[in-house]
Every structure is written in C-alpha cells, then in structure tokens.
Amino acid sequence: MTLEEIQSQADKDLVIDDTELDTESLRTPIIHNKYLQLFNKFNLLLKKSQWEERTLQRDKWEYYTGKSSPEVYKEKPFDLKVLKNDVHIYINADEDIQKIQAKVVYQEAIVNYLEQILRMINNRSFTIKNAIEWRRFTSGAL
C-alpha cells in the first residue's frame, strides 16, 4: 500500500456525515482500528528498513575501506585508496545507500501521516459531540 492509497482512503474514511452523527460515532472505533493496524504494519517495516540501512552502511564502510572479503572485490572491483576522512563521501554517494535511505524516508512519511490520522480519529468523538451540542443549542433544546 502506498502513501497515495492511504491518503485516498483517509479522505473517504474521515468524512463525518453530519446527518448521521450517531452512526459516525459508532464507526469511530472501526476506523481507528483500521489505521492503527496500518500504523503498526508500516512502523515495523520502517524499523526493518532502518536496520537494513545500518547493515548496509557497515558493509559499504568495509567495502570502501578495503576491509571486505576478496570475493566482494571480485564481484565489484574498487581500486581506489580512500582516506579515512573521505569514506563518508563515498558511502553517502553510493547508489545502494541512497536507495535504502529513500525507502526509509518514504516509510517515515507514511508512519508520520498515519500518526496524524490516528490523532484526528481520537478527536473525532469530540467533534461529533460538539456537533450534537451545537444542534441542540441552535434548536433551542438547551
């Protein structure tokens, strides 16, 4: 599931039908559970990607400092002698590192978006309650 798909679903799920406030109030726990499950799924995927990034960082550090096994250099030769202070430049410019970092950033965006949705859902019951109280007030029931 992509961020765009989650956003599209949220656009539909978070709309409150003001003619059916009682039904909307009952729907809140169902919506909360849906987005909580998504949050947990993507939060775990984010953690996994962060661990993969750390492992890849170490592997690339070994590669660029010449400490990898000879088999690695047979597959992908690297004949430069890099100064210790310059290793980070090569690591940061490495295509594999950039791909995993882009993946982590994307998953962080999804997790942050889902956190915001959960906050909105938590406030949904207050919004519905305020709408009901406003209706009572405008109809003269209070």
Side-chain angles (χ1 to χ4, degrees), residues 21-70:
L21 292 175
D22 58 335
T23 305
E24 290 296 328
S25 180
L26 295 173
R27 225 169 49 98
T28 299
I30 297 166
I31 296 170
H32 186 272
N33 184 48
K34 174 184 176 179
Y35 288 97
L36 185 59
Q37 287 178 3
L38 285 172
F39 173 79
N40 288 332
K41 173 186 171 185
F42 281 100
N43 198 31
L44 289 173
L45 287 173
L46 172 61
K47 297 294 182 204
K48 182 182 177 200
S49 295
Q50 289 170 334
W51 296 330
E52 289 172 1
E53 180 185 11
R54 287 186 201 128
T55 302
L56 186 60
Q57 288 271 359
R58 185 206 60 222
D59 292 344
K60 292 299 180 174
W61 179 84
E62 289 174 352
Y63 177 75
Y64 289 116
T65 58
K67 296 179 182 182
S68 288
S69 66

Side-chain angles (χ1 to χ4, degrees), residues 16 21 120 122-133:
I16 296 176
L21 292 175
M120 288 171 35
N122 286 336
N123 291 330
R124 183 179 164 97
S125 58
F126 297 113
T127 304
I128 292 170
K129 181 180 178 229
N130 287 341
I132 291 170
E133 288 178 3

